[in-house]
Amino acid sequence: MALRCGIIGLPNVGKSTLFNALTQAAVAAENYAFCTVAPNAGVVPLPDARLAALDAIVHAKQVIPASVEFTDIAGLVRGASKGEGLGNQFLAHIRETAAVAQVVRCFEDADIAHVEGAVDPLRDVEIIETELALADLESVEKRLERARRAARTGRAEDGKVAVFLAALLAHLAEGRAARDFQVPSEHEALFRDCFLLTAKPMLYIANLDEAGLTDGNEHLRALEAQAEARGGLKLLGICARSEMELCELEPGEQRAYLATLGLEEPGLNRLIHAACELLDLITFLTAGEKEVRAWQLRRGATAPQAAGVIHSDFERTFIRAEIIPFDDFVASGGEAGARAAGKMRVEGKSYVMQDGDVAHFRVGG
């Protein structure tokens, strides 16, 4: 499964406006339901000040940031799990993502229609999460039925699968997300193979107007309480319209506009970093005369796997990794200084990469 973050929500809550701002793409964003039908995908660079610091030392020919892939998925409505509003198609698009960011409207504007007739973030969240849960229930019920039929043949393994799926089904039937289910280690692969929608990491994006972004409002406070009740889901307050306007300004004008909003950086930067956190990604760095580059991989990945991100053959031919933590690389004035100061480590195949590692991989032929 690709490491992409899906942007979901009810129709007409600002998903496509936010996606446009993220990708600066010409994606339709109009005041009517189902403006987005086919999912739009965009690759967004990850802001990372460490790249400039490395480039100041090595003076590379090019600087290449890491990136995050976002998918703007058409709005869900009540009954999506039963096919309403092309719901089955849209749910399938969500299933193809690794994490989801749920956009929730938290502002009043009589000129912008709401598919439910009025702004109510708690109701909107309940609609979305109920449809995801109902889709998961149907999926697990079908798997459980097949497992029980197989268990009648007497195979002990099939019986264990049926017991696990029955427990998972009971958990979902209580209205709880699959991500909160305690999965025994022996069934982790089976759980992953279910591709459950509510198992995906999720964050809330409160789409605010400028006043709400500055001072908050009752809708935002209600959604904050909901996020806490959902096990402490991360919540970001963003004004999608302001983010679009920021994209059209020069850097100096951007800083001035951000200052009027009381912000130090665009909300999009926070969203991109939050998506990386949601996807459980870390960044390692490479620095040389040819390029300074940031690379992403799953937290917990080993040095050979990191080498494989650079080139697939490098994982197979990996010999060793030369690792310098970013702070030590900068403080030592580069690789030679870090080596002389004893800040470079030589690591083998079992080394688990850390965020900010400046790496050089030695590989065989």
Side-chain angles (χ1 to χ4, degrees), residues 39-69:
N40 300 296
V43 177
V44 181
L46 174 65
D48 194 336
R50 295 175 297 190
L51 293 175
L54 293 179
D55 187 43
I57 296 171
V58 304
H59 307 293
K61 293 180 180 179
Q62 59 179 338
V63 177
I64 305 175
S67 60
V68 185
E69 184 175 351

Side-chain angles (χ1 to χ4, degrees), residues 215-233:
D215 302 321
N217 59 35
E218 61 179 343
H219 297 314
L220 176 60
R221 288 187 285 274
L223 188 59
E224 287 172 338
Q226 181 79 342
E228 187 62 29
R230 288 287 191 271
L233 292 184

Side-chain angles (χ1 to χ4, degrees), residues 342-363:
K343 300 297 185 180
M344 176 185 285
R345 305 191 313 271
V346 176
E347 302 287 358
K349 293 183 177 181
S350 63
Y351 176 69
V352 176
M353 298 292 292
Q354 302 299 307
D355 187 75
D357 279 348
V358 182
H360 182 78
F361 298 107
R362 301 293 184 179
V363 297

Side-chain angles (χ1 to χ4, degrees), residues 192-207:
R192 288 194 299 270
D193 287 345
C194 290
F195 296 105
L196 299 179
L197 300 173
T198 65
K200 298 180 183 297
M202 177 184 287
L203 67 84
Y204 292 148
I205 302 174
N207 188 13

